[in-house]
Amino acid sequence: MGDLRVNNQESGEEIHNADPCENIRSSLEKILELVGSAVYAKDAKTGEMLYSNALMRDIFKPGTEKGTLYQFITRENPGQSGVSEVFHEFDQSWYDLHYAPVKWLDGREAYIYTLYDITEKMLYQKKVEQHTYYDFLTGLYNRLCCERDLSRYIDEAKKAHGEGVVLFLDLDDFKNINEGLGHQYGDILLKAIAHSLQRVRGVEDTCYRMGGDEFVVIVPMASHHRLEDIIYDIREVFSRPWYLRGSDYYCTMSMGSVSFPKDGENVHELIKKADIAMYEAKKGGKNRHVKYTKGTDSQQGKRLDMEKNMRDATISGYREFEIYYQPIIDLRKEGTPCTGAEALIRWNSAEMGFVPPSEFIPLAEYLGLINPIGNHVLVEASRRCKYWNDHGYPDYKVNVNLSVVQLLQPDIVRIVDSALRETGIKPENLTLEVTESLAINDMERMKDILNNIKKLGIRIALDDFGTGYSSLNHIREIPFDVIKVDRTFIKDLEKDAYSRSFIKMVVQLAEEIDVNICIEGVETKEQYRILADMNVGLIQGYYFSKPVPEAEFEKKYTPELT
Ligand code: C2E
Ligand code: CA
Ligand code: CA
């Protein structure tokens, strides 16, 4: 059908070269063969093909008459003239398709189409887009793409009076893994997390890596009915360990969420609010999910203030930080004497007043500032203990808390060793308190670090025992000298049989494996009596004394400093 001949309607004869028009037609036909684009014409009413050149016939080879392009050309009438980019499934090519209504040679209404192959251009564009919208490391979409998509989802939700949610995820203590195991393992972890997030049903195409260890998941209107399940599935992803360099690693995350358009109609505002909520989750002790509320906003200002003030306070010689001491009492000795103290930091900020450790320590860990601050406590508390030891209290010990972030510093053993040398404290009078949740991250590494610290002669206490993760294993694997039972077990000691049994069991266990027990949070005489009957060794709590400033501690517990 590749010709432009038409029938003479009246005579039924074909018009041949005698007609001068025929010359034009045949020239036109040649031209159309040579234009370098496919050309197609069809009857506007019947859809009958009126003309196609060789290139066009090549595209619509027999047997390929289906797919988007074919549909577009043969089934529909485009109305006015225009241009579209259309995909042809058969040869996996893209075409620029120009079309226009024309009057055909015989006067009927027709459409003419020309097609240019633009596959190369499209592939190139896709590549560019990949660079622009993809995260190179994880293969997830990136921040730019997140912003583009979110803006679309907000519009969609607004129009349909629906609701969507932005989830902002930040890994907890990713720094530890990255610095502890090396960046290549940090990268592997990020990829594995990205892969698992993409498999959560309902958000397969709406996971983004925002940079570093931050991810965003958009729950669009269409998946909103699954929101609770999606959040559950995401948390599940982080409840299992990742296998890295021969062992299991747990990596939890903190998550903040905002609803759109309820909490904001603007992309940046929403992401910021989700980030604020995420930070609240961090501050609340990590590994949790916090929904954004209006009240969270004022917290944000506070966070920035706190961050700046804390940096200033560490730079300007730690004057705003003060170490308080809480006595630790030996129940089994005559007269229940004080055996030393736990050093607990206090921050009295010139700008913000008193900030409790529960508020600033998580931020200090997040910012890495816990290292210099913790080091300051280590050195100052050791120095003070050495002073007590030298002036009439040779057996007094000091306990210093060490957060996981500190423990995973590559040179932690050297840091502790130099604190010993700098202050001259006898190693056996220094106890480092570590929490048990840390142990799960990397047992082998933890064991190494703690063993090396112990080789210096220092004692190690397992803090907050009974909260957190599977505990007894760690006691077996790490050579603790003291187990500190968390104060949640003491709260209802008088009424609660379970608490009493728990403590009894721990006391027994401790005897078997020759470890000291210290019970924290003893507040009442009744609790004190019960514990004394159970043959508990050490106790600590408001019943004896709250943590107090150095001078006050010394007045009461080292009255005879010589
Ligand atoms: P922690 O190590 O479990 O310290 C015990 C906490 O219980 C202290 O809170 C102490 O004041 C409180 N406490 C003691 N006895 C009682 C009692 O009878 N009743 C009640 N209700 N509470 C009692 P604080 O001083 O607010 O410290 C909170 C946490 O901050 C500590 O928990 C510790 O994890 C962390 N922390 C404190 N100082 C440091 C430090 O120098 N370095 C690090 N890394 N963490 C620290
Ligand atoms: Ca402690
Ligand atoms: Ca504790």
Side-chain angles (χ1 to χ4, degrees):
M1 255 278 208
D3 66 52
L4 293 168
R5 262 176 283 181
V6 285
N7 292 330
N8 184 319
Q9 303 279 324
E10 277 114 59
S11 66
E13 264 178 45
E14 279 195 343
I15 300 165
H16 284 287
N17 279 4
D19 186 348
C21 285
E22 184 60 17
N23 292 331
I24 301 174
R25 269 183 217 115
S26 91
S27 307
L28 194 55
E29 217 168 90
K30 290 231 160 59
I31 294 169
L32 290 177
E33 288 299 341
L34 293 172
V35 285
S37 67
V39 181
Y40 184 94
K42 75 168 182 191
D43 186 307
K45 272 207 203 86
T46 63
E48 175 202 353
M49 185 184 74
L50 299 172
Y51 170 77
S52 65
N53 68 0
L55 275 175
M56 189 68 220
R57 290 194 297 276
D58 196 44
I59 296 171
F60 283 167
K61 284 191 271 294
T64 68
E65 297 96 343
K66 46 178 128 80
T68 321
L69 179 68
Y70 188 78
Q71 183 89 13
F72 196 105
I73 293 181
T74 58
R75 299 285 148 79
E76 295 142 35
N77 278 348
Q80 292 155 343
S81 59
V83 57
S84 293
E85 285 170 349
V86 187
F87 188 60
H88 188 41
E89 284 83 357
F90 258 91
D91 53 5
Q92 295 287 300
S93 299
W94 282 92
Y95 293 95
D96 244 351
L97 178 66
H98 294 254
Y99 44 83
V102 288
K103 276 236 178 319
W104 196 238
L105 300 169
D106 58 1
R108 51 180 142 173
E109 301 293 330
Y111 278 100
I112 184 147
Y113 298 84
T114 59
L115 287 85
Y116 295 88
D117 189 332
I118 51 158
T119 312
E120 297 258 314
K121 185 184 109 189
M122 291 303 270
L123 289 179
Y124 178 74
Q125 239 175 33
K126 271 237 150 69
K127 232 190 207 154
V128 172
E129 211 170 78
Q130 277 201 349
H131 281 286
T132 325
Y133 287 125
Y134 280 75
D135 173 54
F136 188 67
L137 176 69
T138 59
L140 289 183
Y141 298 115
N142 63 12
R143 174 184 286 271
L144 204 64
C145 188
C146 173
E147 292 173 357
R148 183 194 66 175
D149 292 358
L150 181 55
S151 140
R152 215 180 61 223
Y153 288 124
I154 297 169
D155 284 347
E156 177 193 276
K158 261 166 49 186
K159 276 201 198 101
H161 301 290
E163 188 177 0
V165 166
V166 176
L167 304 171
F168 194 105
L169 282 61
D170 185 293
L171 307 185
D172 297 329
D173 307 319
F174 176 69
K175 246 191 247 152
N176 299 344
I177 289 188
N178 218 17
E179 279 161 23
L181 285 179
H183 292 258
Q184 70 273 38
Y185 287 95
D187 287 354
I188 291 175
L189 179 64
L190 290 174
K191 278 191 232 176
I193 289 172
H195 183 70
S196 302
L197 285 178
Q198 267 178 315
R199 292 169 54 175
V200 171
R201 195 153 70 80
V203 294
E204 294 90 343
D205 282 326
T206 49
C207 300
Y208 310 83
R209 177 169 175 235
M210 304 300 273
D213 59 349
E214 293 172 351
F215 298 87
V216 158
V217 173
I218 301 177
V219 182
M221 206 174 63
S223 306
H224 191 260
H225 63 284
R226 286 201 75 240
L227 180 65
E228 291 311 314
D229 291 338
I230 290 170
I231 290 175
Y232 179 85
D233 291 349
I234 293 176
R235 299 196 63 166
E236 273 290 294
V237 165
F238 293 90
S239 69
R240 291 184 295 265
W242 309 91
Y243 190 71
L244 295 173
R245 208 170 75 181
S247 41
D248 282 347
Y249 284 81
Y250 283 86
C251 178
T252 59
M253 57 89 201
S254 302
M255 175 157 65
S257 63
V258 278
S259 293
F260 59 84
K262 193 176 80 189
D263 294 327
E265 300 189 359
N266 157 307
V267 168
H268 293 278
E269 180 190 355
L270 278 170
I271 294 180
K272 192 175 127 213
K273 286 178 173 171
D275 178 35
I276 293 171
M278 179 283 295
Y279 179 70
E280 282 304 300
K282 283 253 182 237
K283 219 175 66 181
K286 303 176 185 169
N287 193 18
R288 60 193 68 210
H289 165 215
V290 169
K291 280 190 198 145
Y292 173 84
T293 57
K294 286 236 166 58
T296 329
D297 259 341
S298 55
Q299 300 280 345
Q300 168 66 1
K302 233 170 119 187
R303 161 185 167 185
L304 290 177
D305 285 352
M306 201 190 290
E307 177 170 342
K308 181 182 177 306
N309 290 328
M310 199 187 311
R311 288 192 194 280
D312 291 349
T314 39
I315 292 164
S316 60
Y318 305 94
R319 275 187 305 276
E320 294 183 355
F321 293 105
E322 187 179 354
I323 301 171
Y324 275 38
Y325 294 92
Q326 185 177 35
I328 298 175
I329 306 296
D330 195 334
L331 260 188
R332 283 181 296 197
K333 290 213 179 106
E334 259 310 290
T336 61
C338 169
T339 64
E342 175 174 0
L344 292 156
I345 193 163
R346 297 291 177 261
W347 180 21
N348 205 346
S349 161
E351 294 291 327
M352 305 188 317
F354 180 80
V355 189
S358 56
E359 258 182 50
F360 77 84
I361 287 188
L363 181 61
E365 288 179 339
Y366 183 59
L367 299 171
L369 284 174
I370 193 67
N371 292 333
I373 295 173
N375 201 21
H376 169 76
V377 178
L378 176 64
V379 169
E380 291 313 311
S382 302
R383 203 193 303 286
R384 203 62 199 168
C385 183
K386 164 76 171 155
Y387 178 77
W388 302 330
N389 297 153
D390 288 349
H391 295 85
Y393 301 87
D395 297 327
Y396 265 29
K397 299 179 187 340
V398 76
N399 288 25
V400 174
N401 292 284
L402 227 56
S403 81
V404 197
V405 181
Q406 288 174 271
L407 264 177
L408 288 173
Q409 296 174 93
D411 53 347
I412 180 65
V413 180
R414 192 193 53 76
I415 290 173
V416 175
D417 189 35
S418 78
L420 291 179
R421 287 168 202 272
E422 189 182 335
T423 62
I425 187 176
K426 278 208 255 166
E428 64 266 32
N429 285 347
L430 175 61
T431 304
L432 297 180
E433 298 193 1
V434 300
T435 56
E436 62 174 327
S437 57
L438 72 90
I440 53 156
N441 269 338
D442 182 353
M443 276 312 278
E444 288 307 310
R445 196 167 138 73
M446 254 335 141
K447 256 189 339 203
D448 271 5
I449 294 172
L450 293 177
N451 276 321
N452 286 332
I453 290 178
K454 270 188 72 96
K455 277 190 200 136
L456 301 171
I458 287 169
R459 290 149 43 99
I460 309 277
L462 177 58
D463 204 357
D464 302 341
F465 179 74
T467 63
Y469 300 80
S470 65
S471 331
L472 294 171
N473 259 345
H474 306 141
I475 296 185
R476 198 159 51 89
E477 293 194 38
I478 295 181
F480 292 107
D481 301 280
V482 183
I483 294 171
K484 298 190 75 172
V485 177
D486 192 72
R487 69 165 182 269
T488 44
F489 289 93
I490 310 310
K491 265 198 343 239
D492 302 315
L493 195 61
E494 299 99 320
K495 304 187 286 265
D496 182 15
Y498 173 76
S499 300
R500 280 196 301 274
S501 313
F502 180 82
I503 290 172
K504 256 189 212 146
M505 179 198 78
V506 180
V507 169
Q508 251 172 28
L509 172 81
E511 272 168 11
E512 302 265 333
I513 59 177
D514 200 22
V515 168
N516 272 301
I517 287 290
C518 178
I519 309 274
E520 296 186 285
V522 181
E523 292 184 356
T524 65
K525 187 162 193 169
E526 186 60 25
Q527 293 167 340
Y528 163 76
R529 285 230 177 89
I530 295 173
L531 293 171
D533 284 347
M534 285 185 190
N535 206 24
V536 165
L538 303 168
I539 59 173
Q540 198 180 333
Y542 293 175
Y543 177 61
F544 292 97
S545 167
K546 290 194 168 182
V548 290
E550 182 181 288
E552 202 173 315
F553 176 83
E554 291 178 354
K555 206 163 125 201
K556 194 157 167 203
Y557 295 99
T558 60
E560 290 156 46
L561 277 179
T562 51

